[in-house]
Amino acid sequence: IYLGSQIFVVRRSNTSRSKTEDPEMASAITSCIVYERGQEPMKETVLDEAWGWFVVVGFGVFFTVFTMWLTRFETNTLGTAMSSEQFNTAGRNIGAGLTAAVIVSQWTWAATLLMSSNMGWRVGVSGPFWYASGATVQILLFAVLAIQVKRRASHMHTFMEIVKARFGTVTHCIMIVFALMANMIVTAMLLLGGAATISDLTGMSKLWAAFLIPLLSCWIYTMYGGLKATFFASYVHTSVIFLMLIVFTFSVYASSGDSSGLYGSPDKVYSGLQKASLHGFLTSTGRACDFDPSNSLCDGSTSTTKSVGNFSALDSFIENDGTCFTADKRETGKACKFQPKSSGTCCAFDLGKKITSTQYCRADKGDCVDVGAKSYESTGCNADEQCVPSFLTMGSPSGLLFGITNIVGNFGTVFVDQSYWQSAVAAKPKSAVLGFLIGGMVWFAVPFCMATTTGLAGRALTMHPDLTPLYITATSSGQGLTPARVLAKILGSGGAFILLLQLFMAITSTGSAEIIAVSSILTYDIYYTYINPELKTRRENLRASFSTAVAAFEVAGKVASSKVQDVLNALMAANFFEKAVPAQEVAAFATAIDSFTDTDGQISTADLYACLNRAVSSNNVEGEILLRVSKFFTAVFAIFMGFLAVFLQTLGFSLGWVYMSMGVIIGSAVGPASLTILMERANGIFIGAGAVGGLMLGLLGWFVKAHVDNGSISYDTLGQDWPWVVGNLCAILGGLFISLAGSLAFPDTTFKWSMLNERIPLVDDIEPAKDNDETDEKLSRQVKIAVVASVVLTFVLLVLWPLPMHGAAGVFGKGGFTTWVALEIIWALVGGIVIIVLPVWETVRAFVQAKKNVETITQKADASATLKNGITLTIDIVAEKPATAKEKSVAVDI
């Protein structure tokens, strides 16, 4: 009880409580302890608090040092220089395997592991499937956007740069707000769930865990090595997560189990889930007189009443497909189903406080049950039988409803999250599609396997003779504690520790991705564009100077390699270079020219400028400043992450509530963001209007549905399934409709895709040379592959596979459930092998090739800056050009 600045906690006696009685009602108050606000009662945990600190601090430091060593090793061996472009784009040459591993890591939140298990615990086998499929399709469909980014905006750092280049300041600012909201929601999801579970396992303070993880476990290596360092860390984290996942699965479905017979094989878990269903509908339900035999409507005798047990969240699966049972719990084999009662209640009279929230009143006659304020009656059973809904079915309206919300809500946290656009930017053009497709299908295994394992086992364990039916309640499961309770029971302290480590991996990998994503937004979209636009003006002036100098030597957008020295002479005459250019930079420039020169001895003007921009880095002022600013903003957001988590915990927002609400808040920007890179004639006014208008429609639909269903708007009424579904759909469809309809009605006919890279110049880098598989023709083919593959896989995952099973499959038999579990295990094993082996193979191959290139460049630098055509390039600057007062002022400010 909160009273002023203090908390009053009552202690009750447990001596007389049976396992079926409500622990809150059956014991007497024996004492009262007062805690100051912010303090918590001590509780027994599976692991000592020291283990929490060891993982958060010890492993945080270990993985930071390890990742920094990998980054340093690459830098020393390959000579990769850290620049603002390298820091934010990882060189734009990441292979499909590492891209897929990064996608799996970024999309594996703490909520992925915790809330998927909650859905398995709540609705049964349909929950893990709908969580997995409903959040996989976004990654698959994003492959289309990823390849279009590589074709149309290969210079971009953030997707808001495309918005700015196309639509101007107002729309740009609107999309920045939505992008930052997406990052904050993802961050909140990470830290709320992770901190709660760490606290539940070890007793470590939630506030300390939420505050220290971003700083000690994410920020340091991100600040040191940039995006490439987060990719290395993501691979390690993904590998650990899959190894732990396989350990959990085999512990539940392929072990000796214990004397309870509730886990150890698919058959045992099947029996445990069936026992849980029977307990919920036959033991935890009773007639009104069973609860209050002294009521005047009863005969006053207790001989005809029964003791009613407890069962949490009966409403979560009461509408699942079920089977008819006799009074002695014998299965008849007939299918049945509960549906909401059209009017009236089932209970004979009002029980008031005689019944708890985990007990349920039945009608005296007929199969009708009251669950909270709602009443349900069954069809399909005889008069002397009772319907028992099952956890072992895909026929679950609650699961399907969650699936719809999950599908719509997760579009926002992929399509509006800068980290996925950044992964697309970092990928090689030919690797973008394959990386996202592999990443999506491998990621499917994470929630599908985790929830089918710990979620279902969690329900089965509520029937354990050493535990109570309330061992896991709706509240604790909604807080993400199901895996912790399950693994602590099955594997003891060892299971609790590896879950702790797995969650730590999930939090830090996604956390570092969010840090670098927000840093990029703050650097390129706010600082570079609005706070210090002089830097961008300088870059634009240099580009204009180059265009003027090269015009005399350009033919059809290309320059002959034999004319490159003449271009350099013209640039020197125009004072393009401010400092003397070192010999090694001239040699690097010559090597870059050779790599981009075609068989006719021609190099495109754009590639010539990019080569000059990257190689002659000693003359680059903007790059050095933007690199420092990027690192500064990583620290800013890392600190902000901690404060955000503490703030949300203080407000009392649950992990599940935040997860289900995110689509309403950011889903409206999905359509506008997608059209920015997909529709050449998109209208900027309607792109911005779609994002804002969709948000308003989403909030309106959310609030109105909550009020219509419940008569009031509150935290609880907003946190129901249908208000979430309506709000999510209104947001995403409203945003898409406004932006698409407006763009079709008033198209922008002046913009062309070729303008994007011209308006988004590279700062201090060069795009990697494209190989024979990355021609325009072959990349266009990649677009078709992305569209066909993503649409077909989406259709399979959302329609072809689940809907027939939802409508006609009924309740699984033991054989069907065993097949389902076998599929889950095979998917996890194959996914784990692919995501662990493929990135290593690609990285080793790329490393060997890169080392050869470095040796070639070194040999060339030792000899001369001579092109393949025999011309030796020179850039002779006698003295440094003095800096202007304005440039000195900019440097001092930084």
Side-chain angles (χ1 to χ4, degrees):
I1 303 170
Y2 285 89
L3 184 62
S5 63
Q6 296 177 320
I7 305 173
F8 292 81
V9 179
V10 298
R11 284 183 173 176
R12 299 177 182 268
S13 169
N14 288 323
T15 55
S16 62
R17 180 167 60 89
S18 71
K19 291 178 181 178
T20 59
E21 289 177 322
D22 188 341
E24 298 297 327
M25 299 297 295
S27 53
I29 297 175
T30 59
S31 63
C32 179
I33 305 174
V34 180
Y35 295 89
E36 295 298 323
R37 185 180 292 275
Q39 295 179 338
E40 294 181 355
M42 295 296 292
K43 62 181 179 180
E44 183 179 352
T45 57
V46 182
L47 298 173
D48 189 77
E49 183 178 349
W51 284 107
W53 287 94
F54 173 72
V55 169
V56 171
V57 178
F59 272 90
V61 172
F62 169 76
F63 280 107
T64 293
V65 172
F66 179 70
T67 304
M68 291 172 67
W69 174 80
L70 283 176
T71 305
R72 172 62 64 180
F73 176 76
E74 182 194 43
T75 300
N76 292 339
T77 306
L78 302 181
T80 305
M82 183 57 68
S83 63
S84 66
E85 294 279 352
Q86 178 71 19
F87 187 87
N88 289 286
T89 67
R92 305 176 192 264
N93 63 348
I94 303 299
L98 188 55
T99 299
V102 169
I103 295 303
V104 173
S105 178
Q106 289 176 352
W107 204 211
T108 303
W109 305 349
T112 304
L113 305 172
L114 303 177
M115 299 314 298
S116 62
S117 296
N118 174 49
M119 289 308 302
W121 181 89
R122 286 178 59 82
V123 303
V125 297
S126 69
F129 177 86
W130 282 116
Y131 192 108
S133 64
T136 295
V137 296
Q138 295 84 358
I139 300 296
L140 300 176
L141 293 171
F142 195 86
V144 179
L145 273 65
I147 187 59
Q148 296 294 25
V149 163
K150 303 307 294 185
R151 293 180 66 232
R152 295 169 174 172
S154 56
H155 289 182
M156 65 167 269
H157 311 90
T158 73
F159 76 91
M160 280 75 68
E161 286 184 309
I162 304 177
V163 176
K164 174 65 174 175
R166 293 194 60 179
F167 308 129
T169 300
V170 174
T171 306
H172 183 227
C173 292
I174 290 172
M175 296 306 293
I176 288 175
V177 170
F178 277 94
L180 291 177
M181 281 198 299
N183 292 123
M184 286 191 289
I185 289 174
V186 173
T187 298
M189 295 293 298
L190 289 174
L191 297 180
L192 281 176
T197 306
I198 290 173
S199 177
D200 190 68
L201 289 171
T202 68
M204 182 181 181
S205 167
K206 295 178 185 178
L207 302 183
W208 277 113
F211 197 81
L212 290 178
I213 287 174
L215 289 173
L216 295 181
S217 307
C218 302
W219 169 62
I220 298 175
Y221 69 78
T222 303
M223 183 272 297
Y224 178 81
L227 187 63
K228 192 64 169 287
T230 69
F231 280 14
F232 286 148
S234 293
Y235 168 74
V236 175
H237 295 163
T238 300
S239 300
V240 172
I241 287 170
F242 262 91
L243 291 174
M244 301 302 182
L245 202 60
I246 291 169
V247 170
F248 298 158
T249 301
F250 278 86
S251 297
V252 170
Y253 290 115
S255 68
S256 58
D258 67 3
S259 58
S260 69
L262 298 174
Y263 66 91
S265 69
D267 283 356
K268 291 180 179 179
V269 175
Y270 182 96
S271 298
L273 291 172
Q274 194 171 58
K275 290 178 181 178
S277 298
L278 288 169
H279 181 87
F281 281 88
L282 300 184
T283 304
S284 298
T285 61
R287 298 175 299 111
C289 291
D290 293 329
F291 295 97
D292 187 11
S294 62
N295 189 281
S296 60
L297 296 178
C298 304
D299 59 13
S301 171
T302 59
S303 60
T304 58
T305 63
K306 72 171 186 176
S307 176
V308 181
N310 290 278
F311 191 86
S312 187
L314 195 74
D315 58 324
S316 65
F317 76 109
I318 191 171
E319 294 184 71
N320 283 15
D321 290 348
T323 306
C324 298
F325 280 79
T326 60
D328 58 355
K329 299 183 180 181
R330 182 173 52 84
E331 185 176 357
T332 65
K334 289 187 292 186
C336 63
K337 197 173 185 67
F338 273 96
Q339 294 178 336
K341 197 170 185 291
S342 58
S343 62
T345 61
C346 305
C347 208
F349 51 82
D350 184 17
L351 293 172
K353 295 183 179 180
K354 298 287 185 178
I355 188 171
T356 72
S357 61
T358 55
Q359 296 175 320
Y360 312 93
C361 185
R362 279 187 173 274
D364 291 341
K365 294 183 180 179
D367 196 12
C368 181
V369 180
D370 287 340
V371 182
K374 296 183 178 181
S375 301
Y376 299 86
E377 54 187 356
S378 72
T379 56
C381 297
N382 294 336
D384 59 341
E385 298 171 345
Q386 291 181 336
C387 182
V388 177
S390 176
F391 292 107
L392 298 155
T393 178
M394 282 291 289
S396 171
S398 294
L400 179 60
L401 199 61
F402 167 79
I404 296 171
T405 309
N406 198 38
I407 293 165
V408 178
N410 279 310
F411 270 102
T413 47
V414 173
F415 284 61
V416 191
D417 189 340
Q418 162 62 15
S419 65
Y420 296 94
W421 294 84
Q422 213 153 2
S423 295
V425 170
K428 294 178 181 177
K430 66 180 180 182
S431 302
V433 172
L434 191 59
F436 275 85
L437 293 179
I438 293 175
M441 296 308 294
V442 169
W443 182 86
F444 181 95
V446 177
F448 187 46
C449 185
M450 187 72 180
T452 303
T453 299
T454 60
L456 300 186
R459 269 299 188 184
L461 283 177
T462 58
M463 297 294 101
H464 200 287
D466 296 336
L467 306 171
T468 74
L470 300 181
Y471 176 62
I472 301 174
T473 64
T475 300
S476 59
S477 186
Q479 292 172 342
L481 302 180
T482 296
R485 303 281 170 87
V486 170
L487 296 171
K489 178 60 182 176
I490 292 177
L491 296 175
S493 58
F497 178 76
I498 58 178
L499 173 64
L500 180 63
L501 187 59
Q502 186 190 47
L503 287 170
F504 177 79
M505 298 290 108
I507 296 168
T508 53
S509 58
T510 309
S512 61
E514 295 303 307
I515 287 175
I516 194 71
V518 172
S519 172
S520 298
I521 295 172
L522 297 179
T523 299
Y524 289 97
D525 290 292
I526 297 179
Y527 177 82
Y528 194 34
T529 303
Y530 299 115
I531 296 177
N532 196 353
E534 292 86 356
L535 288 178
K536 183 171 285 190
T537 300
R538 178 183 181 276
R539 170 65 52 191
E540 292 170 351
N541 291 339
L542 287 175
R543 181 64 182 264
S545 178
F546 173 83
S547 299
T548 300
V550 80
F553 311 98
E554 182 183 26
V555 178
K558 292 186 176 183
V559 176
S561 60
S562 60
K563 298 292 184 180
V564 171
Q565 183 59 54
D566 295 332
V567 174
L568 292 178
N569 293 337
L571 291 173
M572 286 184 280
N575 294 321
F576 183 87
F577 304 101
E578 297 177 353
K579 301 178 181 179
V581 180
Q584 61 268 28
E585 290 188 1
V586 181
F589 175 59
T591 301
I593 291 295
D594 283 340
S595 67
F596 281 92
T597 301
D598 59 26
T599 55
D600 296 328
Q602 304 280 323
I603 180 172
S604 73
T605 305
D607 288 338
L608 176 59
Y609 177 75
C611 292
L612 185 65
N613 187 43
R614 167 62 188 273
V616 189
S617 58
S618 60
N619 277 260
N620 192 299
V621 175
E622 305 94 307
E624 183 178 351
I625 294 174
L626 291 178
L627 178 59
R628 292 204 301 267
V629 171
S630 294
K631 292 186 174 184
F632 168 74
F633 280 133
T634 61
V636 170
F637 189 64
I639 295 172
F640 174 78
M641 287 171 70
F643 281 112
L644 176 65
V646 171
F647 175 70
L648 291 176
Q649 286 179 358
T650 303
L651 292 180
F653 284 97
S654 74
L655 184 65
W657 200 94
V658 175
Y659 180 83
M660 297 293 282
S661 304
M662 61 189 178
V664 181
I665 300 170
I666 60 175
S668 62
V670 171
S674 303
L675 294 178
T676 298
I677 194 65
L678 295 178
M679 186 176 185
E680 191 171 45
R681 295 192 170 193
N683 185 302
I685 295 175
F686 289 97
I687 292 295
V692 176
L695 172 62
M696 296 173 65
L697 290 173
L699 292 173
L700 181 64
W702 189 21
F703 288 3
V704 168
K705 183 60 176 174
H707 189 273
V708 169
D709 287 354
N710 302 279
S712 64
I713 298 174
S714 65
Y715 177 86
D716 291 330
T717 60
L718 290 173
Q720 296 177 356
D721 287 340
W722 274 111
W724 269 326
V725 170
V726 172
N728 276 270
L729 287 173
C730 287
I732 193 169
L733 295 180
L736 177 61
F737 176 80
I738 292 171
S739 56
L740 181 59
S743 296
L744 290 174
F746 304 96
D748 179 1
T749 58
T750 61
F751 174 78
K752 302 299 177 185
W753 291 123
S754 59
M755 297 177 182
L756 275 182
N757 277 344
E758 295 177 1
R759 297 177 181 180
I760 311 174
L762 294 170
V763 177
D764 53 4
D765 203 351
I766 183 174
E767 286 190 73
K770 296 180 180 180
D771 59 28
N772 293 331
D773 293 327
E774 296 174 337
T775 62
D776 290 339
E777 180 182 355
K778 291 187 176 180
L779 290 183
S780 297
R781 192 178 305 153
Q782 287 281 311
V783 175
K784 297 177 182 178
I785 293 173
V787 171
V788 172
S790 61
V791 171
V792 169
L793 289 173
T794 297
F795 177 76
V796 171
L797 291 176
L798 299 186
V799 179
L800 189 60
W801 182 358
L803 293 189
M805 297 188 72
H806 174 82
V811 178
F812 286 159
K814 285 189 176 181
F817 181 66
T818 300
T819 302
W820 189 265
V821 171
L823 174 64
E824 168 241 319
I825 294 175
I826 292 171
W827 204 311
L829 289 173
V830 173
I833 292 171
V834 169
I835 215 64
I836 292 173
V837 174
L838 182 59
V840 173
W841 177 74
E842 281 187 346
T843 301
V844 170
R845 186 180 62 172
F847 180 83
V848 171
Q849 183 59 47
K851 191 167 178 59
K852 291 180 181 178
N853 294 340
V854 169
E855 292 172 353
T856 301
I857 293 173
T858 302
Q859 294 170 1
K860 189 174 184 65
D862 291 339
S864 65
T866 304
L867 298 175
K868 288 187 294 187
N869 60 14
I871 296 176
T872 300
L873 302 180
T874 59
I875 304 177
D876 298 322
I877 306 296
V878 177
E880 293 187 6
K881 178 183 175 182
T884 65
K886 190 171 189 179
E887 289 169 341
K888 288 180 180 178
S889 174
V890 170
V892 170
D893 290 341
I894 296 301

